[in-house]
Amino acid sequence: MKLKQLESLLGDLQQFSQPKIELEQYPTGPHITSRMLYTAENSFGDVSNKVVADFGCGCGTLGVAAALLSAEHVVGIDIDPESLEIAALNAEELELYLDFIQSNVMDLEWRGQIFDTVVMNPPFGTRQKGVDMDFLHVALKVASQAVYSLHKTSTRDHVKRVAMRDFNAASAEVLCELRYDVPKLYKFHKKKEVDIAVDLWRFVPASH
Amino acid sequence: MRLLTHNMLSSNIKGVTNGFPLRIEAEKVVEKTVEMNADFLKKMFEKIQWKAFIDASRAMGYTELPEEVDPTTLESDEFLSKFHHALLELHLEEGALVCPETGRRFPVNKGIPNMLLHEDEV
């Protein structure tokens, strides 16, 4: 599938109708998602025929993108039932079969490095400090090949240090810097739209 | 939820030491056909816990899988298509997953298991 085609299919997905600020629910746009998954597949071969998890999947955009790029099995995990309902509809609309689980990502118990690849756009931790790194910690335990994740560019040094030193990652590499446009979703947003700089990371977990 | 996901997942309640496998209570199972990928199946066979997988498939009403398997079984197309069906085409739509140690039920509605823990279980 071509990048343009992927981006266009993702553009039709339904997003949060009433986003919840305490969960930092921001949709991952089709532009970012398509580039993230396309790179994972075409540069590294981490998607097609793989078992993929989408942590904090929200409305399922990343997981659906993985399935569109021929992931064999995709599991989306989110704590919010309303998001999962939308995610399930999004998958159904495209005739894709994804599994979804309602849970806190940090509370699930997996049988070892059972996923090939984890893709995620974790909460950036502006509401609940450090939660993005908590997600990353779990991801690096359950993935055998790679973890793709978005983190604020302003936290780049911290992310690298913690991933390598505390989470025992074999490598941590910024693939590119992207503009994440945050539309005015919440009342406290003063401006109509804000661009924040985010890094697309690829982490390789330590082999067990 | 497919049985592949089931085979990956343990009970996550605090203090539970033998949380795998979760017992399946099936009220409604649906079948959704997908294309078979033999290479993927052979790779997954290495990762699957077979006993848990057979028990799960039986709980879903599918009894075609052999009790004993060895690497030569994987060369049989007939076996692969059964394995494929149980692993990827059966979906637990309504029912529950039950913690083998505590008996705590995690409900499954519209195919989505609710694994949220109560405060005293975290």
Side-chain angles (χ1 to χ4, degrees):
Chain A
M1 180 177 294
K2 292 217 168 68
L3 178 62
K4 277 252 159 80
Q5 196 185 353
L6 178 66
E7 183 172 350
S8 145
L9 284 169
L10 296 174
D12 292 335
L13 298 182
Q14 208 183 319
Q15 298 297 340
F16 305 106
S17 50
Q18 290 172 313
K20 300 184 175 77
I21 185 59
E22 67 277 16
L23 297 176
E24 294 188 49
Q25 290 181 334
Y26 295 95
T28 320
H31 178 84
I32 287 190
T33 308
S34 57
R35 269 132 196 99
M36 186 171 175
L37 272 296
Y38 199 77
T39 306
E41 171 60 12
N42 288 283
S43 302
F44 299 100
D46 284 331
V47 182
S48 63
N49 304 321
K50 303 295 181 195
V51 179
V52 178
D54 178 355
F55 279 2
C57 66
C59 299
T61 313
L62 296 176
V64 163
L68 285 169
L69 294 178
S70 304
E72 190 70 31
H73 182 63
V74 180
V75 184
I77 297 114
D78 205 283
I79 200 165
D80 178 38
E82 280 118 48
S83 298
L84 288 173
E85 216 163 286
I86 298 173
L89 285 175
N90 279 334
E92 202 179 301
E93 193 73 22
L94 290 165
E95 292 178 17
L96 302 168
Y97 304 131
L98 279 73
D99 273 359
F100 294 103
I101 297 175
Q102 187 190 350
S103 174
N104 184 329
V105 165
M106 278 71 81
D107 287 346
L108 278 183
E109 189 70 35
W110 300 97
R111 203 159 57 71
Q113 287 176 301
I114 205 87
F115 292 102
D116 296 304
T117 306
V118 175
V119 294
M120 61 185 191
N121 176 15
F124 290 148
T126 47
R127 291 270 146 176
Q128 194 189 332
K129 204 171 157 33
V131 67
D132 59 330
M133 297 311 280
D134 293 341
F135 269 54
L136 182 61
H137 193 194
V138 181
L140 282 166
K141 277 191 222 166
V142 302
S144 64
Q145 282 200 15
V147 175
Y148 293 84
S149 183
L150 298 168
H151 299 269
K152 279 185 175 174
T153 300
S154 58
T155 63
R156 187 179 292 179
D157 294 343
H158 173 70
V159 170
K160 175 126 190 170
R161 195 169 54 238
V162 173
M164 301 294 288
R165 185 193 61 195
D166 301 340
F167 303 162
N168 206 18
S171 74
E173 187 191 351
V174 174
L175 299 179
C176 63
E177 192 181 315
L178 296 155
R179 311 299 302 178
Y180 193 101
D181 62 325
V182 180
K184 187 177 189 297
L185 287 178
Y186 301 108
K187 280 203 182 112
F188 67 85
H189 286 156
K190 299 272 185 284
K191 291 184 190 151
K192 202 168 159 217
E193 205 170 85
V194 198
D195 255 7
I196 50 169
V198 297
D199 290 335
L200 168 56
W201 286 86
R202 180 176 190 267
F203 304 92
V204 175
S207 48
H208 289 221
Chain B
M1 189 198 64
R2 288 163 160 174
L3 290 188
L4 175 49
T5 300
H6 170 263
N7 207 275
M8 297 158 73
L9 205 55
S10 282
S11 170
N12 49 346
I13 302 167
K14 186 181 72 178
V16 167
T17 50
N18 283 311
F20 182 85
L22 293 154
R23 195 160 50 75
I24 292 179
E25 286 178 9
E27 282 162 29
K28 186 180 170 196
V29 174
V30 292
E31 295 182 18
K32 297 172 186 172
T33 310
V34 283
E35 210 174 301
M36 186 171 114
N37 177 343
D39 289 337
F40 178 79
L41 292 172
K42 286 174 188 171
K43 196 181 79 177
M44 285 321 295
F45 182 77
E46 305 292 321
K47 294 192 171 186
I48 287 289
Q49 286 227 345
W50 192 255
K51 177 80 174 72
F53 181 59
I54 304 193
D55 290 346
S57 67
R58 287 187 181 147
M60 302 271 278
Y62 188 71
T63 55
E64 302 288 309
L65 290 169
E67 197 85 42
E68 297 292 329
V69 277
D70 58 66
T72 60
T73 318
L74 280 176
E75 300 308 314
S76 151
D77 286 343
E78 194 196 339
F79 169 75
L80 281 182
S81 73
K82 288 174 179 172
F83 181 33
H84 167 75
H85 180 68
L87 191 71
L88 297 171
E89 294 187 327
L90 296 178
H91 296 250
L92 179 61
E93 191 70 11
E94 300 290 335
L97 302 175
V98 183
C99 170
E101 206 170 288
T102 64
R104 153 82 143 92
R105 293 174 84 251
F106 297 96
V108 179
N109 297 116
K110 293 185 189 164
I112 303 177
N114 177 353
M115 303 295 289
L116 285 183
L117 297 174
H118 304 311
E119 251 170 55
D120 58 350
E121 293 173 328
V122 180

